[in-house]
């Protein structure tokens, strides 16, 4: 039994896949805390679809995938923020318009001009064999960058998440903080699409954070729990992907769903308010 479980680790492509899946799960779990507590769970789903438009455009004009899709995704995120701030339009509506249009454009471009880059199916559902050494280093760099951004802006991000109106008049540049969060979110989605895929990346942002919220009332603990749960789901899911011959994104999300169900049953499905006993600072910080 042990030999069977360890057998895939003899293959370099699988080892790279496991590293990327584990990093991706931890990264999405970390960012997902802020996304979930802000009531923006849909934005992960939306941005992944928007980035797919950049994926298609990059493929056609033969521009580096990370550069083209990254710029496209960040522009979409900033457009969503701009629309919701300047117009009387809810963020869910803005996400729906901007991101679905981008996804539809991506599908149209690939249909008309064909795909000259990474596999279409791999972009949608993730793939073990689609992971390269470059993907590993890029994801590791983005994970390190995101961790530094979150912990150096911890208080500003936290205050802007729970009380943005008061934060804005108290010295926190909420627009800047929101843009920074959208930047790391776009980079995270971009770097994880190879393993998780466009259609499933939103779940890796939401599930670990929701599970962590059921396990703790403290915000700092929630960050660590969510990142850890995401990393574990990524590791287990990638192993299941190899043994079951199922796309990696699918098994990673199903693993997370099983963890969610187990914790839900164990905790009795208790309801926790969004701010109950969280270590929100009493004073904002100027940023």
């Amino acid at each position: 039994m042990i030999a069977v479980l360890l057998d895939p680790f003899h293959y370099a492509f699988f080892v790279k896949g496991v590293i990327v899946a584990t990093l991706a799960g931890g990264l999405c779990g970390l960012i997902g805390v802020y996304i979930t507590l802000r009531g923006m769970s849909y934005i992960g789903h939306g941005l992944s679809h928007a980035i797919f438009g950049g994926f298609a455009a990059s493929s056609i004009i033969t521009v580096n995938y990370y550069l083209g899709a990254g710029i496209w995704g960040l522009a979409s995120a900033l457009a969503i923020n701009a629309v919701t701030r300047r117009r009387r339009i809810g963020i869910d509506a803005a996400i729906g318009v901007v991101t679905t249009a981008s996804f539809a454009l991506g599908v149209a471009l690939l249909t008309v001009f064909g795909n000259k880059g990474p596999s279409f199916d791999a972009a949608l559902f993730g793939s073990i064999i689609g992971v390269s050494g470059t993907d590993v280093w890029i994801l590791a760099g983005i994970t390190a960058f995101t961790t530094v951004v979150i912990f150096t802006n911890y208080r500003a991000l936290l205050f802007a998440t729970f009380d943005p109106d008061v934060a804005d008049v108290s010295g926190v540049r909420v627009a800047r903080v929101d843009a920074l969060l959208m930047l790391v979110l776009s980079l995270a989605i971009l770097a994880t699409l190879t393993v998780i895929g466009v259609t499933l990346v939103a779940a890796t942002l939401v599930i670990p954070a929701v599970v962590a919220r059921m396990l703790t009332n403290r915000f700092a603990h929630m960050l660590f729990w969510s990142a850890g749960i995401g990393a574990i789901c990524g590791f287990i899911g990638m192993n299941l992907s190899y043994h079951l011959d199922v796309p990696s994104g699918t098994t990673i999300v199903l693993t997370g769903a099983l963890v969610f169900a187990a914790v839900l049953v164990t905790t009795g499905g208790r309801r926790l308010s969004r701010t109950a006993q969280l270590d929100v600072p009493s004073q904002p910080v100027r940023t």
Side-chain angles (χ1 to χ4, degrees):
M1 182 64 177
I2 300 298
V4 173
L5 294 176
L6 295 179
D7 179 64
F9 287 91
H10 292 102
Y11 302 103
F13 77 89
F14 180 80
V15 173
K16 288 185 290 187
V18 167
I19 293 173
V20 168
T22 304
L23 286 174
L27 175 61
C28 289
L30 185 63
I31 298 174
V33 171
Y34 292 98
I35 300 303
T36 302
L37 292 177
R38 284 170 174 241
M40 297 169 60
S41 300
Y42 184 53
I43 198 168
H45 177 77
L47 277 184
S48 65
H49 282 67
I51 286 175
F52 181 78
F55 162 84
S58 300
S59 171
I60 291 168
I61 64 177
T62 63
V63 171
N64 180 270
Y65 161 68
Y66 286 103
L67 177 62
I71 293 174
W72 193 297
L74 180 59
S76 298
L78 295 178
I80 291 168
N81 264 348
V83 170
T84 53
R85 282 181 172 276
R86 298 179 183 179
R87 305 291 179 182
R88 304 175 74 176
I89 300 174
I91 190 168
D92 56 341
I95 292 171
V97 172
V98 173
T99 61
T100 54
S102 181
F103 183 78
L105 177 61
V107 173
L109 289 173
L110 290 179
T111 302
V112 174
F113 297 101
N115 183 20
K116 302 174 184 177
S119 166
F120 181 85
D121 289 340
L124 288 179
F125 306 110
S127 172
I128 297 177
I129 61 176
V131 178
S132 66
T134 301
D135 293 327
V136 176
W137 285 109
I138 288 176
L139 181 56
I142 291 175
T143 300
F145 172 73
T146 300
T147 302
V148 170
V149 166
I150 286 179
F151 286 101
T152 55
N153 295 275
Y154 175 80
R155 290 171 64 88
L157 280 166
L158 182 58
F159 200 65
T161 295
F162 289 107
D163 205 342
D165 293 331
V166 175
D168 205 19
V169 299
S170 301
V172 176
R173 299 176 183 174
V174 176
R176 176 179 175 272
V177 171
D178 287 346
L180 193 60
L181 183 62
M182 289 301 102
L183 171 63
V184 295
L185 176 61
S186 299
L187 291 174
I189 292 174
L190 175 65
T192 58
L193 286 186
T194 305
V195 170
I196 300 172
V198 168
T199 57
L200 299 171
V201 69
T204 62
L205 288 165
V206 175
I207 292 176
V210 172
V211 173
R213 187 66 187 93
M214 290 191 289
L215 293 173
T216 181
N217 288 329
R218 296 185 62 83
F219 182 79
H221 293 175
M222 187 178 172
L223 285 175
F224 287 107
W225 270 107
S226 184
I229 291 167
I232 291 171
C233 289
F235 179 84
I236 295 175
M238 183 58 78
N239 279 273
L240 289 175
S241 175
Y242 175 87
H243 293 289
L244 299 178
D245 194 22
V246 174
S248 52
T250 302
T251 52
I252 290 171
V253 171
L254 287 177
T255 301
L258 289 174
V259 172
F260 169 79
V263 173
L264 185 66
V265 171
T266 303
T267 60
R270 63 183 180 186
R271 293 176 62 87
L272 296 174
S273 66
R274 195 165 66 103
T275 59
Q277 300 180 37
L278 292 175
D279 55 343
V280 181
S282 57
Q283 295 294 329
V285 291
R286 194 170 295 272
T287 181

Tab-separated table of all heavy atoms in Angstrom, residues 258-286:
chain	number	residue	atom	x	y	z
A	258	LEU	N	-15.052	17.563	0.987
A	258	LEU	CA	-15.152	16.523	2.014
A	258	LEU	C	-14.712	17.048	3.376
A	258	LEU	O	-15.318	16.728	4.405
A	258	LEU	CB	-14.312	15.301	1.612
A	258	LEU	CG	-14.846	14.459	0.449
A	258	LEU	CD1	-13.848	13.374	0.065
A	258	LEU	CD2	-16.196	13.829	0.814
A	259	VAL	N	-13.641	17.843	3.387
A	259	VAL	CA	-13.183	18.448	4.639
A	259	VAL	C	-14.270	19.373	5.192
A	259	VAL	O	-14.564	19.370	6.396
A	259	VAL	CB	-11.873	19.237	4.423
A	259	VAL	CG1	-11.498	20.030	5.676
A	259	VAL	CG2	-10.747	18.281	4.048
A	260	PHE	N	-14.869	20.165	4.318
A	260	PHE	CA	-15.956	21.061	4.733
A	260	PHE	C	-17.109	20.269	5.350
A	260	PHE	O	-17.631	20.638	6.416
A	260	PHE	CB	-16.457	21.852	3.528
A	260	PHE	CG	-17.739	22.603	3.784
A	260	PHE	CD1	-17.723	23.804	4.473
A	260	PHE	CD2	-18.951	22.100	3.333
A	260	PHE	CE1	-18.907	24.493	4.718
A	260	PHE	CE2	-20.132	22.780	3.579
A	260	PHE	CZ	-20.105	23.986	4.270
A	261	ALA	N	-17.519	19.190	4.689
A	261	ALA	CA	-18.628	18.372	5.197
A	261	ALA	C	-18.294	17.772	6.556
A	261	ALA	O	-19.129	17.756	7.470
A	261	ALA	CB	-18.957	17.271	4.189
A	262	ALA	N	-17.043	17.295	6.701
A	262	ALA	CA	-16.629	16.676	7.968
A	262	ALA	C	-16.640	17.695	9.102
A	262	ALA	O	-17.129	17.410	10.207
A	262	ALA	CB	-15.241	16.068	7.816
A	263	VAL	N	-16.116	18.898	8.841
A	263	VAL	CA	-16.082	19.936	9.880
A	263	VAL	C	-17.497	20.423	10.193
A	263	VAL	O	-17.836	20.692	11.359
A	263	VAL	CB	-15.183	21.110	9.435
A	263	VAL	CG1	-15.283	22.268	10.417
A	263	VAL	CG2	-13.746	20.643	9.304
A	264	LEU	N	-18.326	20.526	9.168
A	264	LEU	CA	-19.709	20.959	9.365
A	264	LEU	C	-20.453	20.008	10.295
A	264	LEU	O	-21.165	20.428	11.214
A	264	LEU	CB	-20.427	21.044	8.016
A	264	LEU	CG	-21.855	21.593	8.034
A	264	LEU	CD1	-21.861	23.050	8.454
A	264	LEU	CD2	-22.501	21.422	6.663
A	265	VAL	N	-20.257	18.717	10.078
A	265	VAL	CA	-20.909	17.707	10.918
A	265	VAL	C	-20.321	17.735	12.324
A	265	VAL	O	-21.044	17.673	13.327
A	265	VAL	CB	-20.746	16.302	10.293
A	265	VAL	CG1	-21.232	15.226	11.265
A	265	VAL	CG2	-21.515	16.215	8.982
A	266	THR	N	-18.991	17.835	12.412
A	266	THR	CA	-18.313	17.816	13.705
A	266	THR	C	-18.698	19.002	14.585
A	266	THR	O	-18.907	18.856	15.801
A	266	THR	CB	-16.785	17.809	13.518
A	266	THR	OG1	-16.413	16.687	12.728
A	266	THR	CG2	-16.071	17.750	14.856
A	267	THR	N	-18.789	20.188	13.975
A	267	THR	CA	-19.119	21.398	14.742
A	267	THR	C	-20.614	21.588	14.903
A	267	THR	O	-21.050	22.553	15.541
A	267	THR	CB	-18.525	22.643	14.063
A	267	THR	OG1	-19.070	22.766	12.724
A	267	THR	CG2	-17.021	22.559	13.988
A	268	GLY	N	-21.397	20.707	14.305
A	268	GLY	CA	-22.840	20.822	14.405
A	268	GLY	C	-23.414	21.943	13.578
A	268	GLY	O	-24.540	22.389	13.800
A	269	GLY	N	-22.629	22.424	12.614
A	269	GLY	CA	-23.110	23.487	11.728
A	269	GLY	C	-23.379	24.796	12.449
A	269	GLY	O	-24.244	25.561	12.059
A	270	ARG	N	-22.636	25.073	13.524
A	270	ARG	CA	-22.870	26.287	14.300
A	270	ARG	C	-22.668	27.525	13.450
A	270	ARG	O	-21.796	27.580	12.589
A	270	ARG	CB	-21.935	26.337	15.510
A	270	ARG	CG	-20.463	26.409	15.131
A	270	ARG	CD	-19.579	26.382	16.361
A	270	ARG	NE	-18.176	26.458	15.973
A	270	ARG	CZ	-17.185	26.346	16.838
A	270	ARG	NH1	-17.435	26.134	18.104
A	270	ARG	NH2	-15.925	26.428	16.420
A	271	ARG	N	-23.479	28.519	13.712
A	271	ARG	CA	-23.403	29.770	12.961
A	271	ARG	C	-22.492	30.740	13.697
A	271	ARG	O	-22.640	30.961	14.902
A	271	ARG	CB	-24.785	30.392	12.802
A	271	ARG	CG	-25.715	29.568	11.925
A	271	ARG	CD	-27.101	30.181	11.880
A	271	ARG	NE	-27.049	31.504	11.294
A	271	ARG	CZ	-27.117	31.751	9.997
A	271	ARG	NH1	-27.215	30.749	9.143
A	271	ARG	NH2	-27.084	32.977	9.534
A	272	LEU	N	-21.537	31.296	12.990
A	272	LEU	CA	-20.625	32.268	13.594
A	272	LEU	C	-20.782	33.595	12.865
A	272	LEU	O	-20.742	33.636	11.638
A	272	LEU	CB	-19.174	31.785	13.475
A	272	LEU	CG	-18.836	30.496	14.231
A	272	LEU	CD1	-17.425	30.067	13.890
A	272	LEU	CD2	-18.988	30.675	15.715
A	273	SER	N	-20.962	34.659	13.606
A	273	SER	CA	-21.105	35.962	12.969
A	273	SER	C	-19.778	36.370	12.346
A	273	SER	O	-18.713	35.919	12.755
A	273	SER	CB	-21.544	37.022	13.989
A	273	SER	OG	-20.541	37.231	14.945
A	274	ARG	N	-19.844	37.277	11.406
A	274	ARG	CA	-18.668	37.638	10.624
A	274	ARG	C	-17.579	38.262	11.489
A	274	ARG	O	-16.393	38.099	11.224
A	274	ARG	CB	-19.087	38.624	9.521
A	274	ARG	CG	-18.071	38.804	8.429
A	274	ARG	CD	-18.672	39.479	7.235
A	274	ARG	NE	-19.064	40.843	7.529
A	274	ARG	CZ	-18.375	41.899	7.160
A	274	ARG	NH1	-17.259	41.756	6.494
A	274	ARG	NH2	-18.795	43.123	7.442
A	275	THR	N	-17.948	38.994	12.528
A	275	THR	CA	-16.956	39.711	13.322
A	275	THR	C	-16.832	39.204	14.755
A	275	THR	O	-16.051	39.753	15.524
A	275	THR	CB	-17.305	41.214	13.375
A	275	THR	OG1	-18.613	41.355	13.946
A	275	THR	CG2	-17.280	41.818	11.995
A	276	ALA	N	-17.580	38.175	15.117
A	276	ALA	CA	-17.591	37.734	16.508
A	276	ALA	C	-16.199	37.323	16.981
A	276	ALA	O	-15.577	36.432	16.428
A	276	ALA	CB	-18.557	36.563	16.671
A	277	GLN	N	-15.715	38.040	18.038
A	277	GLN	CA	-14.477	37.715	18.715
A	277	GLN	C	-13.245	37.728	17.809
A	277	GLN	O	-12.212	37.155	18.142
A	277	GLN	CB	-14.587	36.336	19.406
A	277	GLN	CG	-15.698	36.278	20.458
A	277	GLN	CD	-15.759	34.921	21.110
A	277	GLN	OE1	-14.745	34.282	21.349
A	277	GLN	NE2	-16.970	34.484	21.423
A	278	LEU	N	-13.347	38.367	16.651
A	278	LEU	CA	-12.174	38.489	15.790
A	278	LEU	C	-11.309	39.632	16.297
A	278	LEU	O	-11.807	40.636	16.802
A	278	LEU	CB	-12.597	38.754	14.345
A	278	LEU	CG	-13.312	37.583	13.655
A	278	LEU	CD1	-13.780	38.004	12.273
A	278	LEU	CD2	-12.414	36.378	13.553
A	279	ASP	N	-9.982	39.486	16.146
A	279	ASP	CA	-9.059	40.476	16.697
A	279	ASP	C	-8.926	41.682	15.780
A	279	ASP	O	-7.857	41.998	15.266
A	279	ASP	CB	-7.689	39.858	16.983
A	279	ASP	CG	-7.099	39.184	15.747
A	279	ASP	OD1	-7.854	38.924	14.799
A	279	ASP	OD2	-5.884	38.935	15.743
A	280	VAL	N	-10.039	42.389	15.583
A	280	VAL	CA	-10.041	43.595	14.766
A	280	VAL	C	-9.426	44.731	15.576
A	280	VAL	O	-9.835	44.971	16.703
A	280	VAL	CB	-11.481	43.981	14.364
A	280	VAL	CG1	-11.475	45.225	13.495
A	280	VAL	CG2	-12.145	42.820	13.641
A	281	PRO	N	-8.422	45.442	15.042
A	281	PRO	CA	-7.794	46.526	15.803
A	281	PRO	C	-8.778	47.653	16.069
A	281	PRO	O	-9.619	47.965	15.228
A	281	PRO	CB	-6.655	46.985	14.897
A	281	PRO	CG	-7.075	46.574	13.526
A	281	PRO	CD	-7.839	45.304	13.702
A	282	SER	N	-8.685	48.269	17.245
A	282	SER	CA	-9.611	49.330	17.602
A	282	SER	C	-9.321	50.620	16.860
A	282	SER	O	-10.195	51.462	16.686
A	282	SER	CB	-9.538	49.603	19.106
A	282	SER	OG	-8.210	49.932	19.490
A	283	GLN	N	-8.085	50.797	16.392
A	283	GLN	CA	-7.717	51.996	15.654
A	283	GLN	C	-7.117	51.615	14.311
A	283	GLN	O	-6.292	50.705	14.234
A	283	GLN	CB	-6.696	52.817	16.437
A	283	GLN	CG	-7.223	53.376	17.747
A	283	GLN	CD	-8.309	54.398	17.532
A	283	GLN	OE1	-8.293	55.106	16.517
A	283	GLN	NE2	-9.244	54.504	18.464
A	284	PRO	N	-7.517	52.297	13.243
A	284	PRO	CA	-6.928	52.019	11.943
A	284	PRO	C	-5.518	52.566	11.860
A	284	PRO	O	-5.091	53.331	12.714
A	284	PRO	CB	-7.855	52.778	10.970
A	284	PRO	CG	-8.378	53.905	11.793
A	284	PRO	CD	-8.522	53.362	13.202
A	285	VAL	N	-4.813	52.155	10.826
A	285	VAL	CA	-3.458	52.663	10.625
A	285	VAL	C	-3.421	53.442	9.322
A	285	VAL	O	-4.138	53.115	8.391
A	285	VAL	CB	-2.438	51.512	10.563
A	285	VAL	CG1	-2.307	50.862	11.904
A	285	VAL	CG2	-2.818	50.486	9.504
A	286	ARG	N	-2.620	54.461	9.287
A	286	ARG	CA	-2.513	55.270	8.070
A	286	ARG	C	-1.656	54.512	7.054
A	286	ARG	O	-0.590	54.016	7.382
A	286	ARG	CB	-1.872	56.608	8.387
A	286	ARG	CG	-2.011	57.640	7.285
A	286	ARG	CD	-1.561	58.981	7.810
A	286	ARG	NE	-2.435	59.453	8.884
A	286	ARG	CZ	-3.530	60.151	8.674
A	286	ARG	NH1	-3.920	60.440	7.432
A	286	ARG	NH2	-4.261	60.589	9.693
